[in-house]
Coordinates of all heavy atoms in Angstrom, one line a residue:
M807 N 126.2 101.1 84.7 CA 125.9 100.0 85.4 C 127.0 98.9 85.1 O 127.3 98.1 86.0 CB 124.6 99.5 84.9 CG 124.2 98.1 85.6 SD 124.0 98.3 87.4 CE 122.3 97.9 87.5
Q808 N 127.6 98.9 83.9 CA 128.6 98.0 83.5 C 129.8 98.2 84.5 O 130.5 97.2 84.9 CB 129.0 98.1 82.1 CG 130.0 97.2 81.6 CD 130.5 97.3 80.2 OE1 129.8 98.1 79.4 NE2 131.5 96.6 79.7
D809 N 130.2 99.4 84.7 CA 131.3 99.7 85.7 C 131.0 99.1 87.1 O 131.9 98.7 87.7 CB 131.5 101.2 85.7 CG 132.2 101.7 84.4 OD1 132.7 101.0 83.7 OD2 132.1 102.9 84.2
A810 N 129.8 99.3 87.5 CA 129.4 98.8 88.9 C 129.6 97.2 88.9 O 129.9 96.7 90.0 CB 128.0 99.2 89.2
V811 N 129.3 96.6 87.9 CA 129.3 95.1 87.8 C 130.9 94.8 87.7 O 131.4 94.0 88.5 CB 128.6 94.6 86.7 CG1 128.9 93.0 86.5 CG2 127.1 94.8 87.0
S812 N 131.6 95.3 86.8 CA 133.0 94.9 86.5 C 133.9 95.2 87.7 O 134.9 94.6 87.9 CB 133.4 95.5 85.2 OG 133.5 96.9 85.2
S813 N 133.5 96.3 88.4 CA 134.4 96.7 89.5 C 134.1 96.0 90.8 O 134.9 96.1 91.8 CB 134.3 98.2 89.8 OG 133.0 98.5 90.4
G814 N 133.0 95.3 90.8 CA 132.6 94.6 92.1 C 131.7 95.4 92.9 O 131.3 95.0 93.9
L815 N 131.5 96.7 92.6 CA 130.6 97.5 93.4 C 129.2 97.0 93.6 O 128.7 97.1 94.7 CB 130.5 98.9 92.8 CG 129.6 99.9 93.5 CD1 130.2 100.3 94.8 CD2 129.5 101.2 92.6
I816 N 128.7 96.4 92.7 CA 127.4 95.8 92.8 C 127.3 94.7 93.9 O 126.4 94.6 94.6 CB 126.9 95.1 91.4 CG1 125.4 94.9 91.5 CG2 127.7 93.9 91.0 CD1 124.5 96.0 91.4
T817 N 128.4 94.0 94.1 CA 128.4 93.0 95.2 C 128.6 93.7 96.6 O 128.0 93.2 97.5 CB 129.6 92.0 95.0 OG1 130.8 92.7 94.9 CG2 129.4 91.2 93.7
D818 N 129.2 94.8 96.6 CA 129.3 95.5 97.8 C 127.9 96.0 98.2 O 127.6 96.0 99.4 CB 130.3 96.7 97.7 CG 131.7 96.3 97.4 OD1 132.1 95.1 97.7 OD2 132.5 97.0 96.9
I819 N 127.2 96.5 97.3 CA 125.8 97.0 97.5 C 125.0 95.9 98.0 O 124.2 95.9 99.0 CB 125.2 97.6 96.2 CG1 125.9 98.9 95.9 CG2 123.8 97.9 96.4 CD1 125.7 99.5 94.6
I820 N 125.1 94.7 97.4 CA 124.3 93.5 97.8 C 124.7 93.1 99.2 O 123.8 92.8 100.0 CB 124.5 92.3 96.8 CG1 123.9 92.7 95.4 CG2 123.9 91.0 97.4 CD1 124.2 91.7 94.3
L821 N 126.0 93.1 99.5 CA 126.4 92.7 100.9 C 125.9 93.7 101.9 O 125.4 93.4 103.0 CB 127.9 92.7 100.9 CG 128.5 91.5 100.2 CD1 130.2 91.6 100.1 CD2 128.1 90.2 100.8
G822 N 125.8 95.0 101.6 CA 125.3 96.0 102.5 C 123.7 95.7 102.7 O 123.2 95.9 103.8
L823 N 123.0 95.4 101.6 CA 121.7 95.0 101.7 C 121.4 93.8 102.6 O 120.4 93.7 103.4 CB 121.0 94.8 100.4 CG 120.8 96.1 99.6 CD1 120.4 95.8 98.1 CD2 119.9 97.1 100.3
M824 N 122.3 92.9 102.5 CA 122.3 91.6 103.3 C 122.5 92.0 104.8 O 121.9 91.3 105.6 CB 123.3 90.6 102.8 CG 122.9 89.9 101.5 SD 124.1 88.7 100.9 CE 123.8 87.4 102.1
A825 N 123.3 92.9 105.1 CA 123.6 93.3 106.4 C 122.3 94.0 107.0 O 121.9 93.7 108.1 CB 124.7 94.3 106.5
L826 N 121.6 94.7 106.2 CA 120.4 95.4 106.6 C 119.3 94.2 106.9 O 118.4 94.3 107.8 CB 119.8 96.3 105.6 CG 120.7 97.6 105.5 CD1 120.1 98.5 104.4 CD2 120.7 98.4 106.8
E827 N 119.3 93.3 105.9 CA 118.4 92.2 106.1 C 118.6 91.4 107.4 O 117.7 91.0 108.2 CB 118.5 91.2 104.9 CG 117.6 90.0 105.0 CD 117.8 88.9 103.9 OE1 118.8 89.2 103.1 OE2 117.0 88.1 103.7
L828 N 119.9 91.2 107.7 CA 120.2 90.5 109.0 C 119.7 91.3 110.2 O 119.0 90.7 111.1 CB 121.7 90.3 109.1 CG 122.3 89.8 110.4 CD1 121.9 88.2 110.5 CD2 123.8 89.9 110.5
L829 N 119.9 92.5 110.2 CA 119.4 93.4 111.4 C 117.9 93.4 111.4 O 117.3 93.3 112.4 CB 119.9 94.8 111.1 CG 121.4 95.0 111.3 CD1 121.8 96.4 111.0 CD2 121.9 94.6 112.7
A830 N 117.2 93.4 110.3 CA 115.7 93.4 110.2 C 115.3 92.1 110.7 O 114.2 92.1 111.4 CB 115.2 93.8 108.7
L831 N 115.8 91.0 110.2 CA 115.3 89.7 110.8 C 115.6 89.6 112.3 O 114.7 88.9 112.9 CB 116.1 88.6 109.9 CG 115.6 88.4 108.5 CD1 116.5 87.4 107.8 CD2 114.1 88.0 108.4
F832 N 116.7 89.9 112.8 CA 116.9 89.9 114.2 C 115.9 90.7 114.9 O 115.3 90.3 116.0 CB 118.3 90.4 114.5 CG 119.4 89.4 114.4 CD1 119.1 88.1 113.9 CD2 120.7 89.7 114.8 CE1 120.3 87.3 113.8 CE2 121.8 88.8 114.7 CZ 121.5 87.6 114.2
A833 N 115.5 92.0 114.4 CA 114.6 92.8 115.1 C 113.2 92.1 115.0 O 112.4 92.2 116.0 CB 114.5 94.1 114.4
L834 N 112.8 91.5 113.9 CA 111.6 90.9 113.7 C 111.5 89.7 114.7 O 110.4 89.5 115.3 CB 111.4 90.6 112.3 CG 110.0 90.0 111.9 CD1 108.9 91.0 112.1 CD2 110.0 89.5 110.5
R835 N 112.4 88.9 114.7 CA 112.5 87.8 115.7 C 112.3 88.2 117.1 O 111.6 87.7 117.9 CB 113.8 87.0 115.5 CG 113.8 85.8 116.4 CD 114.9 84.9 116.4 NE 115.0 83.7 117.1 CZ 114.2 83.3 118.1 NH1 113.1 83.9 118.4 NH2 114.3 82.1 118.6
H836 N 113.0 89.4 117.5 CA 113.0 89.8 118.8 C 111.5 90.3 119.2 O 111.0 90.1 120.2 CB 114.0 91.0 119.1 CG 113.9 91.5 120.4 ND1 114.4 90.9 121.5 CD2 113.4 92.8 120.8 CE1 114.2 91.7 122.6 NE2 113.6 92.8 122.2
R837 N 110.9 91.0 118.1 CA 109.6 91.6 118.3 C 108.5 90.6 118.5 O 107.6 90.7 119.3 CB 109.4 92.6 117.3 CG 108.0 93.3 117.3 CD 107.9 94.5 116.4 NE 107.3 95.5 117.1 CZ 106.6 96.4 116.5 NH1 106.5 96.5 115.2 NH2 105.9 97.3 117.1
L838 N 108.6 89.6 117.6 CA 107.6 88.5 117.5 C 107.9 87.3 118.5 O 107.0 86.6 118.8 CB 107.5 88.0 116.1 CG 107.0 89.0 115.0 CD1 107.0 88.3 113.7 CD2 105.7 89.6 115.4
N839 N 109.1 87.3 119.0 CA 109.5 86.2 119.9 C 109.2 84.9 119.1 O 108.7 83.9 119.8 CB 109.0 86.3 121.2 CG 109.7 85.4 122.2 OD1 110.9 85.2 122.0 ND2 109.0 84.9 123.2
A840 N 109.5 84.8 117.9 CA 109.0 83.6 117.1 C 110.0 83.6 115.9 O 110.6 84.6 115.6 CB 107.6 83.5 116.7
G841 N 109.9 82.5 115.1 CA 110.7 82.4 113.8 C 112.0 81.7 114.0 O 112.2 81.1 115.1
P842 N 112.8 81.7 113.0 CA 114.1 81.0 113.1 C 114.9 81.6 114.2 O 114.9 82.8 114.5 CB 114.7 81.1 111.7 CG 113.9 82.2 111.0 CD 112.7 82.4 111.7
S843 N 115.9 80.8 114.7 CA 116.7 81.2 115.7 C 117.8 82.2 115.0 O 117.9 82.2 113.8 CB 117.5 80.0 116.4 OG 118.4 79.5 115.5
R844 N 118.4 82.9 115.9 CA 119.6 83.8 115.3 C 120.6 83.0 114.6 O 121.1 83.4 113.6 CB 120.2 84.7 116.5 CG 119.3 85.7 117.0 CD 120.0 86.4 118.2 NE 119.1 87.3 118.8 CZ 119.3 88.7 118.6 NH1 120.5 89.1 118.2 NH2 118.5 89.6 119.2
L845 N 120.9 81.8 115.2 CA 121.9 80.9 114.5 C 121.4 80.5 113.1 O 122.2 80.5 112.1 CB 122.3 79.7 115.4 CG 123.3 78.7 114.8 CD1 124.6 79.5 114.6 CD2 123.5 77.6 115.8
E846 N 120.1 80.2 113.0 CA 119.6 79.8 111.7 C 119.6 80.9 110.8 O 119.9 80.7 109.6 CB 118.1 79.2 111.9 CG 118.0 77.9 112.7 CD 116.7 77.6 113.0 OE1 115.9 78.4 113.4 OE2 116.3 76.4 112.9
I847 N 119.3 82.1 111.2 CA 119.3 83.3 110.3 C 120.7 83.5 109.8 O 120.9 83.7 108.6 CB 118.7 84.6 111.1 CG1 117.3 84.3 111.3 CG2 119.0 85.8 110.2 CD1 116.7 85.4 112.3
V848 N 121.7 83.5 110.7 CA 123.1 83.7 110.3 C 123.5 82.7 109.4 O 124.2 83.0 108.3 CB 124.0 83.8 111.5 CG1 125.4 83.8 111.2 CG2 123.6 85.0 112.3
A849 N 123.2 81.4 109.6 CA 123.7 80.2 108.8 C 123.2 80.4 107.3 O 123.8 80.3 106.4 CB 123.3 79.0 109.3
S850 N 121.9 80.9 107.3 CA 121.3 81.0 105.9 C 121.8 82.2 105.2 O 122.2 82.0 104.0 CB 119.7 81.3 106.1 OG 119.1 81.5 105.0
L851 N 122.1 83.3 105.9 CA 122.7 84.4 105.2 C 124.2 84.2 104.9 O 124.5 84.8 103.9 CB 122.4 85.7 106.0 CG 121.0 86.2 106.1 CD1 120.8 87.4 107.0 CD2 120.5 86.6 104.7
T852 N 124.8 83.5 105.6 CA 126.2 83.2 105.5 C 126.4 82.5 104.2 O 127.4 82.7 103.4 CB 126.8 82.5 106.7 OG1 126.7 83.3 107.8 CG2 128.3 82.2 106.4
A853 N 125.5 81.5 103.9 CA 125.7 80.8 102.6 C 125.5 81.8 101.4 O 126.4 81.7 100.5 CB 124.5 79.8 102.5
G854 N 124.7 82.7 101.5 CA 124.5 83.7 100.4 C 125.7 84.6 100.4 O 126.2 85.0 99.3
L855 N 126.2 85.0 101.6 CA 127.3 85.8 101.6 C 128.6 85.3 100.9 O 129.2 86.1 100.1 CB 127.6 86.1 103.1 CG 128.9 87.1 103.4 CD1 128.6 88.0 104.5 CD2 130.1 86.2 103.8
F856 N 128.9 84.1 101.2 CA 129.9 83.4 100.5 C 129.7 83.3 99.0 O 130.8 83.5 98.2 CB 130.2 82.0 101.1 CG 131.1 82.0 102.3 CD1 130.5 81.6 103.5 CD2 132.4 82.4 102.2 CE1 131.4 81.6 104.6 CE2 133.2 82.4 103.4 CZ 132.7 82.1 104.6
L857 N 128.5 83.2 98.6 CA 128.3 83.1 97.0 C 128.5 84.5 96.5 O 129.1 84.6 95.4 CB 126.8 82.7 96.8 CG 126.6 81.2 97.0 CD1 125.0 80.9 96.8 CD2 127.4 80.3 96.0
I858 N 128.1 85.6 97.2 CA 128.4 86.9 96.6 C 129.9 87.2 96.7 O 130.4 87.9 95.8 CB 127.6 87.9 97.5 CG1 126.1 87.7 97.4 CG2 127.9 89.4 97.0 CD1 125.5 87.8 96.0
L859 N 130.5 86.7 97.7 CA 132.0 86.9 97.8 C 132.6 86.2 96.7 O 133.6 86.8 96.0 CB 132.5 86.4 99.1 CG 134.0 86.6 99.4 CD1 134.5 88.0 99.3 CD2 134.4 86.0 100.7
A860 N 132.2 85.0 96.3 CA 132.8 84.3 95.1 C 132.6 85.1 93.9 O 133.5 85.2 93.0 CB 132.2 82.9 95.0
L861 N 131.3 85.6 93.7 CA 131.1 86.5 92.6 C 131.9 87.7 92.5 O 132.5 88.0 91.4 CB 129.6 87.0 92.6 CG 129.1 87.9 91.5 CD1 129.2 87.2 90.1 CD2 127.7 88.3 91.7
R862 N 132.2 88.4 93.7 CA 133.0 89.6 93.7 C 134.4 89.2 93.2 O 135.0 89.9 92.5 CB 133.0 90.2 95.0 CG 133.8 91.5 95.1 CD 133.8 92.1 96.4 NE 134.0 93.5 96.4 CZ 135.0 94.2 95.9 NH1 135.9 93.5 95.3 NH2 135.1 95.4 95.9
I863 N 135.0 88.1 93.8 CA 136.3 87.6 93.4 C 136.3 87.4 91.9 O 137.3 87.8 91.2 CB 136.7 86.5 94.2 CG1 136.8 86.7 95.7 CG2 138.0 85.9 93.7 CD1 136.9 85.6 96.6
A864 N 135.4 86.8 91.4 CA 135.4 86.4 89.9 C 135.3 87.6 89.1 O 136.0 87.8 88.1 CB 134.3 85.5 89.6
L865 N 134.4 88.6 89.5 CA 134.2 89.9 88.7 C 135.5 90.8 88.7 O 135.8 91.4 87.8 CB 133.0 90.7 89.3 CG 131.7 90.1 89.0 CD1 130.7 90.9 89.7 CD2 131.4 90.0 87.5
T866 N 136.3 90.7 89.8 CA 137.5 91.5 89.9 C 138.7 90.8 89.5 O 139.9 91.3 89.7 CB 137.6 92.1 91.3 OG1 137.6 91.0 92.3 CG2 136.4 93.0 91.7
G867 N 138.6 89.6 88.9 CA 139.8 88.9 88.3 C 140.6 88.3 89.5 O 141.9 88.0 89.3
G868 N 140.1 87.9 90.6 CA 140.8 87.2 91.6 C 141.1 85.7 91.2 O 140.7 85.2 90.3
P869 N 142.0 85.2 92.1 CA 142.5 83.9 91.7 C 141.4 82.8 92.0 O 140.6 83.0 92.8 CB 143.6 83.6 92.8 CG 143.3 84.6 93.9 CD 142.6 85.7 93.3
W870 N 141.5 81.7 91.2 CA 140.5 80.6 91.2 C 140.4 80.0 92.5 O 139.4 79.6 93.0 CB 140.7 79.7 90.1 CG 141.9 78.8 90.2 CD1 143.2 79.1 89.7 CD2 142.1 77.6 91.0 NE1 144.0 78.1 90.1 CE2 143.4 77.2 90.8 CE3 141.1 76.9 91.7 CZ2 143.8 76.0 91.5 CZ3 141.6 75.7 92.3 CH2 142.9 75.3 92.2
Q871 N 141.6 80.0 93.2 CA 141.6 79.3 94.5 C 140.7 80.1 95.5 O 140.1 79.5 96.4 CB 143.0 79.3 95.1 CG 144.0 78.4 94.3 CD 144.8 79.2 93.2 OE1 144.3 80.3 92.8 NE2 145.9 78.7 92.7
A872 N 140.7 81.4 95.5 CA 139.9 82.2 96.3 C 138.4 82.0 96.1 O 137.5 81.9 96.9 CB 140.2 83.7 96.2
I873 N 138.1 81.9 94.7 CA 136.7 81.6 94.3 C 136.3 80.2 94.9 O 135.2 80.1 95.5 CB 136.5 81.6 92.8 CG1 136.8 83.0 92.3 CG2 135.2 81.2 92.4 CD1 137.0 83.0 90.7
A874 N 137.1 79.2 94.7 CA 136.9 77.9 95.2 C 136.6 77.9 96.7 O 135.8 77.2 97.3 CB 138.0 76.9 94.9
A875 N 137.5 78.6 97.4 CA 137.4 78.7 99.0 C 136.1 79.4 99.4 O 135.4 78.9 100.2 CB 138.6 79.5 99.5
A876 N 135.7 80.4 98.7 CA 134.4 81.1 98.9 C 133.2 80.1 98.6 O 132.3 80.1 99.4 CB 134.2 82.3 98.1
L877 N 133.3 79.4 97.6 CA 132.2 78.4 97.2 C 132.2 77.3 98.3 O 131.1 76.9 98.7 CB 132.4 77.8 95.9 CG 132.2 78.9 94.7 CD1 132.5 78.1 93.4 CD2 130.8 79.3 94.7
L878 N 133.4 76.8 98.7 CA 133.3 75.8 99.9 C 132.8 76.4 101.1 O 132.1 75.7 101.9 CB 134.8 75.3 100.1 CG 135.4 74.3 99.1 CD1 136.8 74.0 99.4 CD2 134.5 73.1 99.2
G879 N 133.1 77.6 101.4 CA 132.4 78.3 102.6 C 130.9 78.4 102.5 O 130.2 78.1 103.5
S880 N 130.5 78.6 101.3 CA 129.0 78.6 101.0 C 128.4 77.2 101.2 O 127.4 77.1 101.8 CB 128.8 79.1 99.6 OG 127.3 79.2 99.4
L881 N 129.2 76.2 100.7 CA 128.7 74.9 100.9 C 128.6 74.5 102.5 O 127.5 73.9 102.9 CB 129.6 73.8 100.2 CG 129.3 72.4 100.5 CD1 127.9 72.0 99.9 CD2 130.3 71.5 99.8
A882 N 129.7 74.8 103.2 CA 129.6 74.6 104.6 C 128.5 75.3 105.3 O 127.8 74.7 106.1 CB 131.0 75.0 105.3
A883 N 128.2 76.6 104.9 CA 127.1 77.3 105.6 C 125.8 76.7 105.2 O 124.9 76.6 106.0 CB 127.2 78.8 105.2
H884 N 125.6 76.3 103.9 CA 124.5 75.7 103.5 C 124.2 74.4 104.2 O 123.0 74.1 104.6 CB 124.6 75.4 101.9 CG 123.3 74.8 101.4 ND1 122.1 75.3 101.3 CD2 123.2 73.5 100.9 CE1 121.2 74.5 100.8 NE2 121.8 73.3 100.5
I885 N 125.2 73.5 104.4 CA 125.0 72.3 105.1 C 124.6 72.6 106.5 O 123.7 71.9 107.1 CB 126.3 71.4 105.1 CG1 126.4 70.9 103.6 CG2 126.3 70.3 106.1 CD1 127.8 70.3 103.3
T886 N 125.2 73.5 107.2 CA 124.9 73.9 108.6 C 123.5 74.4 108.6 O 122.8 74.0 109.5 CB 125.8 75.1 109.0 OG1 127.2 74.6 109.0 CG2 125.5 75.5 110.5
D887 N 123.1 75.2 107.6 CA 121.6 75.7 107.6 C 120.7 74.6 107.5 O 119.7 74.5 108.2 CB 121.5 76.6 106.4 CG 120.1 77.2 106.3 OD1 119.4 77.5 107.3 OD2 119.7 77.4 105.1
Q888 N 120.9 73.7 106.6 CA 120.0 72.5 106.4 C 120.0 71.6 107.7 O 118.9 71.1 108.1 CB 120.5 71.7 105.2 CG 120.2 72.4 103.9 CD 118.7 72.8 103.7 OE1 117.9 72.0 103.8 NE2 118.6 74.1 103.5
W889 N 121.1 71.4 108.3 CA 121.2 70.6 109.4 C 120.4 71.2 110.6 O 119.7 70.5 111.3 CB 122.7 70.5 110.0 CG 122.8 69.6 111.2 CD1 122.8 68.3 111.2 CD2 123.1 70.1 112.5 NE1 122.9 67.9 112.6 CE2 123.1 69.0 113.4 CE3 123.2 71.3 113.1 CZ2 123.3 69.2 114.7 CZ3 123.5 71.5 114.4 CH2 123.4 70.3 115.2
L890 N 120.5 72.5 110.7 CA 119.8 73.3 111.8 C 118.2 73.1 111.5 O 117.5 72.9 112.5 CB 120.1 74.7 111.9 CG 121.5 75.0 112.4 CD1 121.9 76.4 112.2 CD2 121.6 74.6 113.9
R891 N 117.9 73.2 110.3 CA 116.4 73.1 110.0 C 115.9 71.7 110.2 O 114.9 71.5 110.8 CB 116.2 73.4 108.5 CG 116.3 74.9 108.1 CD 116.2 75.1 106.7 NE 116.7 76.4 106.3 CZ 116.0 77.3 105.6 NH1 114.7 77.0 105.3 NH2 116.5 78.5 105.3
W892 N 116.7 70.6 109.9 CA 116.4 69.2 110.1 C 116.2 68.9 111.6 O 115.3 68.2 112.0 CB 117.3 68.3 109.4 CG 116.9 68.1 108.0 CD1 117.2 69.1 106.9 CD2 116.2 67.1 107.3 NE1 116.8 68.5 105.7 CE2 116.1 67.3 105.9 CE3 115.7 65.9 107.9 CZ2 115.5 66.5 105.1 CZ3 115.0 65.0 107.0 CH2 115.0 65.3 105.6
T893 N 117.1 69.5 112.3 CA 117.1 69.1 113.7 C 116.0 69.8 114.5 O 115.4 69.3 115.4 CB 118.5 69.4 114.5 OG1 118.8 70.8 114.2 CG2 119.6 68.6 113.9
R894 N 115.6 71.0 114.0 CA 114.5 71.7 114.6 C 113.2 71.0 114.2 O 112.3 70.8 115.0 CB 114.5 73.1 114.1 CG 113.2 73.9 114.6 CD 113.2 75.4 114.4 NE 113.4 75.7 113.0 CZ 112.6 76.5 112.3 NH1 111.6 77.0 112.9 NH2 112.8 76.8 111.1
T895 N 113.1 70.5 112.9 CA 112.0 69.7 112.5 C 111.8 68.5 113.3 O 110.7 68.0 113.7 CB 112.0 69.6 111.0 OG1 112.0 70.8 110.4 CG2 110.7 68.8 110.5
A896 N 112.9 67.9 113.5 CA 112.9 66.6 114.2 C 112.6 66.6 115.6 O 111.9 65.7 116.2 CB 114.3 65.8 114.1
A897 N 112.8 67.8 116.2 CA 112.4 68.1 117.6 C 111.0 68.4 117.8 O 110.4 68.4 118.9 CB 113.3 69.2 118.2
S898 N 110.3 68.8 116.7 CA 108.9 69.2 116.8 C 108.0 68.0 116.9 O 108.3 67.0 116.3 CB 108.5 70.0 115.5 OG 109.3 71.1 115.3
P899 N 106.9 68.1 117.7 CA 106.0 67.0 117.7 C 105.4 66.8 116.4 O 105.2 67.6 115.6 CB 105.0 67.5 118.8 CG 105.4 68.8 119.3 CD 106.5 69.3 118.5
P900 N 105.0 65.4 116.1 CA 104.3 65.1 114.9 C 103.1 66.0 114.7 O 102.3 66.1 115.6 CB 104.1 63.6 115.0 CG 105.0 63.1 116.1 CD 105.2 64.2 117.0
G901 N 102.9 66.4 113.5 CA 101.8 67.1 113.1 C 101.8 68.6 113.4 O 101.0 69.4 113.0
S902 N 103.0 69.0 114.0 CA 103.0 70.5 114.2 C 103.9 71.2 113.0 O 104.6 70.5 112.5 CB 103.8 70.8 115.6 OG 105.0 70.3 115.6
A903 N 103.7 72.4 112.9 CA 104.4 73.1 111.9 C 105.8 73.3 112.3 O 106.1 73.7 113.5 CB 103.6 74.5 111.5
P904 N 106.8 73.3 111.4 CA 108.2 73.5 111.8 C 108.4 75.0 112.1 O 107.9 75.8 111.7 CB 109.0 73.1 110.6 CG 108.1 72.8 109.5 CD 106.7 72.8 110.0

């Protein structure tokens, strides 16, 4: 397990699981015709993707600039995710669930 962490393999596994999560959420949204939009799903998962990327860079001894860039990418995706949630909530009539 230590080798999986220090080599960054664990982050590759997590990224693969996140890809499966994306496909499952898209399929669920299509089947139920409800839930967050595809853009909201992608924005939410992208924030996590950049965090995992920053972790991978740190675990494999990458440059601090790359870690900082990945963290900034995560921040941008997080802000986008929050903006999408707020605008959807603002568009809902008062008293309805978001």
